[in-house]
Amino acid sequence: MQWLRVPGSDDDKRSMGVLGVITGSERYPGAAVLGVEAAWRTGIGMVRLWAPRRVQDLVLARRPETVCHALDEPADGVDAWLLGSGQDARERDPALRSALLEALAAGAPCVVDAGALDLVPGHAGPAVVTPHGRELERILEQLGAPVEADARMRAAAAAAALDAVVVAKGAATHVVEPSGAATTVEAATHRLATAGTGDVLAGMLGALVAANPDATRESERLASIAALGVALHGQAAAAAAEGDRPIAALDVAEHVPAVIAARLER
Ligand SMILES: NC(=O)C1=CN([C@@H]2O[C@H](COP(=O)(O)OP(=O)(O)OC[C@H]3O[C@@H](n4cnc5c(N)ncnc54)[C@H](OP(=O)(O)O)[C@@H]3O)[C@@H](O)[C@H]2O)[C@@H](O)CC1
Ligand SMILES: Nc1ncnc2c1ncn2[C@@H]1O[C@H](COP(=O)(O)OP(=O)(O)O)[C@@H](O)[C@H]1O
């Protein structure tokens, strides 16, 4: 299955992809836990987290295999970045701002969510941005672009202006390239409408991008990776919610490995 890497005898933790993560904050530490958990569950060689101490501690309690750094430690040695989940741009301190800007300017592919969306215009490498409806409106307002009535057209306007793949989230998620080419993924269950599932999606996308960094240089392939991540996320949620049971965001992450295994068997 394209984009789902399976390690072979020549692989090691670095060749399988290293994801750098700058997510979470004192206010929203859980978003970092959700994204890191989802990244590991999607199949990745290594996850490295740059975050305040409290965020590190909570992530390590859930996933001790994560390599943690203080926000002011040098940010390098990664294949891709996951930025912004669990952060609020209005409360961002200078250490966080400079870590995010450094990651965006480094040229590695970036998945940008929530509290880092306002910094996307500074990106140097390939970028996937993951706004929900209100965040997409805010991006267009910040860019001075008209806010179209149709969600897919809004996503296309943002993708063109930002030169990024836009994943416009909702019950139907539109994955749109800067050219305007779009794929729509209908969620496999509406049980996804619960807090933190977007943080899980961002972690999954980060892992898929870090495992396939060369492919991200072409928008069409980057969008294909993003659309796969959205589909897997929906399928994992449907598996977690089997029988229409209520789910929480971590349940989605926990069902990702089985969904990937089923895809690989096809
Ligand atoms: N456990 C954790 O750590 C969690 C951490 N999280 C982190 O919290 C941070 C803020 O997240 P957030 O954007 O959801 O902010 P929140 O203040 O609720 O709304 C701000 C504005 O947006 C709107 N709005 C919201 N959702 C919308 C939608 N789908 N579609 C359309 N509009 C929507 C809403 O409008 P309203 O619906 O209230 O009119 C309001 O005006 C972010 O960093 C995230 O990663 C969360 O992931 C939860 C779990
Ligand atoms: N009614 C719905 N049906 C299906 N999926 C939904 C629905 N509402 C939201 N989602 C999905 O749930 C996730 C919510 O992400 P987001 O709005 O960023 O929430 P959070 O910030 O709490 O993680 C997205 O993947 C979105 O596509």
Side-chain angles (χ1 to χ4, degrees):
M1 176 73 203
Q2 205 184 13
W3 314 135
L4 293 176
R5 298 265 314 274
V6 178
S9 56
D10 289 341
D11 278 306
D12 60 32
K13 62 192 175 192
R14 291 186 195 279
S15 71
M16 286 303 291
V18 180
L19 178 65
V21 179
I22 308 176
T23 61
S25 59
E26 291 291 338
R27 185 188 291 274
Y28 302 117
V33 179
L34 293 166
V36 167
E37 170 79 16
W40 282 117
R41 295 290 194 181
T42 305
I44 183 82
M46 195 186 315
V47 181
R48 298 176 62 190
L49 172 76
W50 279 259
R53 190 55 194 255
R54 175 167 147 73
V55 177
Q56 292 182 30
D57 288 346
L58 287 167
V59 167
L60 287 170
R62 173 81 193 175
R63 294 264 57 122
E65 48 284 76
T66 309
V67 178
C68 290
H69 306 269
L71 270 174
D72 60 1
E73 282 183 59
D76 52 16
V78 306
D79 294 301
W81 287 103
L82 166 60
L83 309 171
S85 309
Q87 294 166 0
D88 184 335
R90 293 161 300 187
E91 296 178 5
R92 192 162 51 211
D93 62 30
L96 176 58
R97 182 184 172 79
S98 63
L100 292 171
L101 286 174
E102 201 180 313
L104 281 162
C110 292
V111 174
V112 188
D113 191 28
L117 289 169
D118 64 311
L119 301 177
V120 176
H123 76 93
V128 177
V129 303
T130 60
H132 60 53
R134 177 66 195 121
E135 288 166 339
L136 181 55
E137 278 178 29
R138 235 181 270 142
I139 288 172
L140 293 170
E141 285 160 12
Q142 181 193 345
L143 292 168
V147 179
E148 310 279 356
D150 173 75
R152 196 160 63 93
M153 285 171 70
R154 287 182 200 183
L162 294 171
D163 190 24
V165 170
V166 171
V167 174
K169 296 180 292 192
T173 293
H174 305 290
V175 180
V176 187
E177 296 170 42
S179 68
T183 304
T184 298
V185 182
E186 301 284 345
T189 173
H190 298 305
R191 287 284 182 194
L192 267 175
T194 183
T197 53
D199 306 324
V200 169
L201 174 64
M204 295 175 69
L205 296 178
L208 289 170
V209 166
N212 299 281
D214 294 341
T216 65
R217 305 281 154 192
E218 276 174 45
S219 291
E220 193 180 341
R221 300 174 85 202
L222 182 55
S224 156
I225 293 169
L228 171 65
V230 174
L232 292 173
H233 179 246
Q235 286 161 11
E242 198 188 347
D244 210 14
R245 50 181 102 145
I247 57 170
L250 261 184
D251 300 334
V252 180
E254 283 172 359
H255 282 77
V256 171
V259 165
I260 288 178
R263 282 256 175 170
L264 289 170
E265 267 178 19
R266 274 192 199 168

